[in-house]
Amino acid sequence: MGEARGDGWQRTEEDEKLLRLATRYSTLTLHQAAYACWGGRIEAARRRVRLMTEAGLLHRSADVRWTGTVVWTTERGARVAGVGLGAPHPPGERLLHRLVLADVGLSMEADGHMMLTEREVRAAEASGRAAELLADLGVPNVPEGARRGQLLAVPAGARAVHWPDLVMVLADGRLVAVEVKLTPKPRAALRAILRAYGQARRPVAYLGTEPVVRQLQGRPGPDGRWVDGVAQEAGLLPPGGPDPGTGGLLRVRPLTIADPAVGRQVERHARRQRRPA
């Protein structure tokens, strides 16, 4: 049933998939929900979201004009989802970043990749189940007794760890961290994160707006010579050119977004950020 006797409707596989995705990724647009669960049929998604909202499984909001309708699970919805996570916090000032992560993760899942969201990574580490989770996913040679952050994140100092935005589990069980960035970081902070990945020998893919890609890869200088970026400074890309990473630990790619409204907002954000790195 929807949630309780008398709701008058049956939950479908698509409904339950949406509850899982909305819990794992925190927030989805109606467009993302439609394409992930209903083959792009917006009206079907709208109708099912309305039913699940009325049944107390989803929160629904259209308060932010550029997003259209967004959804996230209630505590009841998260429980029904059965993914071992509580309900996400309501979307706030990081709404754009949430929706971009969802867009990237859903696109990768649609391409057949197994993805772990940051919520899943943090929950596994906090519960001490990171090694068990990786073993269940077929990751080989999971070390025993790893300290917090060594399996799914990377150590970033004596006590700190850096959490990736997403983790991709490849078919052979190897892990690839996925960083999705809209805004260039301070150079020192970015260099420290890249060096942490390098020291951990952890493959990482950066997907970013044009200013982020330029900060990582470098750019042509006024005299036509290549000005290296932070990835070259950290030793993860070869110097002297815009190598996106073809054989090392780091790959750099422009960010592409499937949801048109989210994509337009990302482009507006990038235009505000375009300045020399």
Side-chain angles (χ1 to χ4, degrees):
M1 299 293 290
E3 168 63 13
R5 187 179 301 277
D7 282 343
W9 59 281
Q10 297 286 335
R11 282 201 312 272
T12 65
E13 291 183 8
E14 293 83 2
D15 296 338
E16 294 184 350
K17 181 178 182 180
L18 174 57
L19 292 175
R20 292 192 296 271
L21 292 175
T23 304
R24 293 174 56 227
Y25 284 101
S26 298
T27 312
L28 302 179
T29 66
L30 189 67
H31 181 281
Q32 291 168 340
Y35 278 82
C37 304
W38 285 279
R41 292 179 291 127
I42 300 291
E43 287 308 313
R46 194 186 311 278
R47 183 170 60 253
R48 302 308 295 185
V49 162
R50 178 180 59 79
L51 288 171
M52 284 189 279
T53 302
E54 292 172 353
L57 300 175
L58 286 176
H59 292 297
R60 175 181 57 176
S61 172
D63 291 343
V64 179
R65 185 172 181 178
W66 63 264
T67 65
T69 299
V70 297
V71 299
W72 65 100
T73 46
T74 64
E75 285 292 349
R76 291 166 67 190
R79 185 174 64 250
V80 170
V83 294
L85 299 171
H89 294 298
E93 62 182 17
R94 288 177 59 81
L95 174 61
L96 177 60
H97 191 248
R98 273 196 191 190
L99 296 177
V100 169
L101 288 185
D103 204 281
V104 170
L106 293 174
S107 294
M108 290 180 169
E109 290 191 23
D111 288 339
H113 298 296
M114 184 179 298
M115 305 300 296
L116 297 173
T117 67
E118 185 178 358
R119 296 198 79 213
E120 292 171 304
V121 166
R122 287 180 178 269
E125 289 282 5
S127 66
R129 292 191 60 254
E132 179 183 344
L133 172 63
L134 293 180
D136 290 345
L137 294 175
V139 176
N141 305 317
V142 178
E144 296 282 342
R147 69 181 176 89
R148 178 178 178 269
Q150 286 185 324
L151 296 180
L152 292 167
V154 289
R159 295 174 180 248
V161 297
H162 174 74
W163 302 96
D165 291 318
L166 300 163
V167 174
M168 180 189 298
V169 184
L170 300 180
D172 61 5
R174 288 179 299 144
L175 303 179
V176 177
V178 179
E179 299 279 2
V180 181
K181 301 303 174 193
L182 304 180
T183 304
K185 279 184 171 291
R187 293 182 75 91
L190 179 58
R191 188 162 49 243
I193 292 170
L194 292 174
R195 285 176 174 166
Y197 278 116
Q199 290 166 2
R201 305 302 297 167
R202 180 73 54 81
V204 57
Y206 265 81
L207 309 178
T209 58
E210 186 270 335
V212 171
V213 170
R214 186 177 59 191
Q215 185 188 38
L216 284 161
Q217 290 183 338
R219 64 189 189 279
D223 59 358
R225 296 183 181 180
W226 192 259
V227 179
D228 284 340
V230 181
Q232 286 95 348
E233 295 174 8
L236 292 186
L237 286 182
D243 189 329
T246 54
L249 292 175
L250 172 67
R251 288 180 178 267
V252 180
R253 297 288 186 272
L255 178 62
T256 58
I257 301 296
D259 185 314
V262 177
R264 287 191 294 270
Q265 189 68 10
V266 167
E267 179 54 32
R268 284 192 287 266
H269 181 86
R271 285 198 297 268
R272 293 195 294 269
Q273 297 294 326
R274 287 187 180 118
R275 57 180 182 269

